[in-house]
Amino acid sequence: MALLPFVLLCGFADFTGSLSITTPEQMIEKAKGETAYLPCKFTLGPEDQGPLDIEWLLSPADNQKVDQVIILYSGDKIYDDYYQGLKGRVHFTSTDLKSGDASINVTSLQLSDIGTYQCKVKKAPGVGNKKIQLTVLVKPSGTRCYIDGSEEIGSDFKLKCEPREGSLPLRYEWQKLSNSQKLPTSWLPEMTSPVISVKNATTEYSGTYSCTVKNRVGSDQCLLRLDVVPPSNRAGTIAGAIVGILLALVLIGLIVFCCRKKRREEKYEKEVHHDIRVRCEYQLDLVLTLNTKSSKELCFLLT
Ligand SMILES: *[C@@H]1O[C@H](CO)[C@@H](O)[C@H](O)[C@H]1NC(C)=O
Ligand SMILES: *[C@@H]1O[C@H](CO)[C@@H](O)[C@H](O)[C@H]1NC(C)=O
């Protein structure tokens, strides 16, 4: 009879023992590379007298694989070398598991760690288990801000903000950092979008802007310098740049040409010189009917 209120209180609890896991089922989100703490605390009843066994299972998100044992506590020993995917990255956080803490840490999180983790505790006749969903997200990083189009007065162009990686959903926020520090009013509807479409640009738009990209686990930022200039200036600048690039190309071409020529010359110098000299001597001998010695000297000077 003394047991009756307890059973009523527990509602759906296990009737075969009073072991119960006190940590609620939950979803945990962490960034790639971080450590996930997966809690699993339990209480025992006086009738739970068997040996304590703790087992953590993982059913990976891709569903192709069956549940994998990832760490086990049995007969007062810890076994953690079951699952290659988590080798060396899963540990019990408590040094005294018998005290009712079966929580684990998974370190250096990877995207392949996404899945459902199940904590199973057994101390006969008591049994209990709890599931935790783990999601690993990638922080936004490598974000690039740039202008798509020409920054001329009266022209239309786009300001773009692109993170190299980052899990969805991503949130964007543009800010102006210089001058009035206020975004032009016509941009406000797009201040939380990855692209701002600028129409009929004016010099007042010039300044430094920042774009911040956020998701649930992190944020990243990039800066952009906008200089709205008259079209002629712009054309002049571009022409100047093109001339500069062309000159540089010509210079590089010349250097490459000379180097190659020099190398080729060095390589064949001996043979060629010898060849020329012999021909020269032969011709001179024929034409001038000089003696061989003087034609040799002349040819040496000529070549
Ligand atoms: C488990 O990870 C948490 C961070 O998520 C950390 O604070 C705690 O110290 C870690 N515990 C152990 C035993 O490594
Ligand atoms: C562009 O802006 C200028 C002054 O800011 C205005 O005079 C002109 O009418 C605008 N053009 C268009 C097409 O909106």
Side-chain angles (χ1 to χ4, degrees):
M1 269 300 131
L3 206 63
L4 189 61
F6 181 73
V7 169
L8 287 176
L9 261 179
C10 287
F12 295 108
D14 213 327
F15 284 89
T16 58
S18 58
L19 188 156
S20 91
I21 294 180
T22 52
T23 309
E25 303 221 328
Q26 55 187 293
M27 268 199 65
I28 291 177
E29 271 179 354
K30 281 282 169 181
K32 190 180 160 196
E34 287 182 350
T35 295
Y37 170 67
L38 309 184
C40 179
K41 300 208 170 148
F42 61 91
T43 54
L44 298 168
E47 65 275 37
D48 296 328
Q49 293 296 328
L52 177 65
D53 278 324
I54 297 168
E55 188 181 41
W56 276 89
L57 301 168
L58 163 62
S59 49
D62 58 20
N63 273 337
Q64 306 287 49
K65 299 171 196 158
V66 289
D67 286 5
Q68 309 271 341
V69 176
I70 56 170
I71 192 166
L72 189 68
Y73 172 81
S74 185
D76 248 340
K77 285 209 180 86
I78 293 168
Y79 305 90
D80 62 2
D81 199 11
Y82 289 97
Y83 184 53
Q84 280 305 303
L86 282 169
K87 198 174 169 64
R89 297 193 291 121
V90 56
H91 312 281
F92 284 112
T93 54
S94 169
T95 48
D96 182 18
L97 299 173
K98 284 187 217 130
S99 69
D101 187 354
S103 309
I104 54 168
N105 267 2
V106 180
T107 60
S108 311
L109 285 173
Q110 298 169 8
L111 292 177
S112 56
D113 300 341
I114 295 172
T116 305
Y117 290 73
Q118 193 179 170
C119 166
K120 284 180 152 183
V121 182
K122 241 186 282 175
K123 191 164 171 64
V127 290
N129 74 82
K130 207 52 78 171
K131 286 181 178 169
I132 294 175
Q133 300 269 2
L134 176 67
T135 301
V136 180
L137 300 172
V138 179
K139 290 180 190 176
S141 72
T143 307
R144 194 165 76 93
C145 284
Y146 64 97
I147 298 159
D148 185 2
S150 71
E151 314 159 51
E152 288 172 8
I153 291 174
S155 69
D156 301 345
F157 53 85
K158 290 183 165 71
L159 305 186
K160 293 191 173 176
C161 178
E162 281 179 3
R164 186 167 36 78
E165 55 176 13
S167 301
L168 301 174
L170 291 166
R171 283 173 292 133
Y172 294 83
E173 192 184 333
W174 289 91
Q175 278 178 315
K176 191 171 187 184
L177 304 178
S178 58
N179 299 343
S180 70
Q181 304 218 322
K182 269 192 195 152
L183 281 184
T185 44
S186 60
W187 298 12
L188 292 180
E190 289 182 315
M191 68 175 285
T192 55
S193 101
V195 179
I196 292 182
S197 299
V198 179
K199 299 256 182 287
N200 195 11
T202 75
T203 50
E204 280 140 49
Y205 293 174
S206 296
T208 306
Y209 294 85
S210 74
C211 167
T212 307
V213 196
K214 285 185 193 164
N215 65 13
R216 287 200 290 269
V217 291
S219 74
D220 194 27
Q221 194 182 54
C222 56
L223 297 179
L224 181 147
R225 172 82 210 161
L226 177 62
D227 280 307
V228 180
V229 293
S232 55
N233 273 6
R234 194 80 205 153
T237 317
I238 291 171
I242 289 174
V243 168
I245 289 168
L246 282 180
L247 278 178
L249 283 178
V250 166
L251 203 69
I252 290 167
L254 272 176
I255 290 168
V256 169
F257 179 76
C258 291
C259 287
R260 283 209 184 156
K261 202 173 164 217
K262 190 152 187 281
R263 215 182 308 143
R264 222 181 298 138
E265 275 176 7
E266 278 169 4
K267 200 170 169 189
Y268 295 112
E269 198 172 32
K270 277 186 186 162
E271 305 165 32
V272 172
H273 269 216
H274 182 254
D275 194 40
I276 290 173
R277 219 167 283 158
V278 169
R279 278 191 208 185
C280 171
E281 285 161 17
Y282 177 71
Q283 306 265 336
L284 283 180
D285 282 346
L286 282 182
V287 177
L288 303 176
T289 61
L290 288 167
N291 63 43
T292 310
K293 192 173 180 286
S294 44
S295 65
K296 255 193 177 131
E297 274 165 5
L298 232 145
C299 286
F300 185 78
L301 286 174
L302 281 174
T303 54

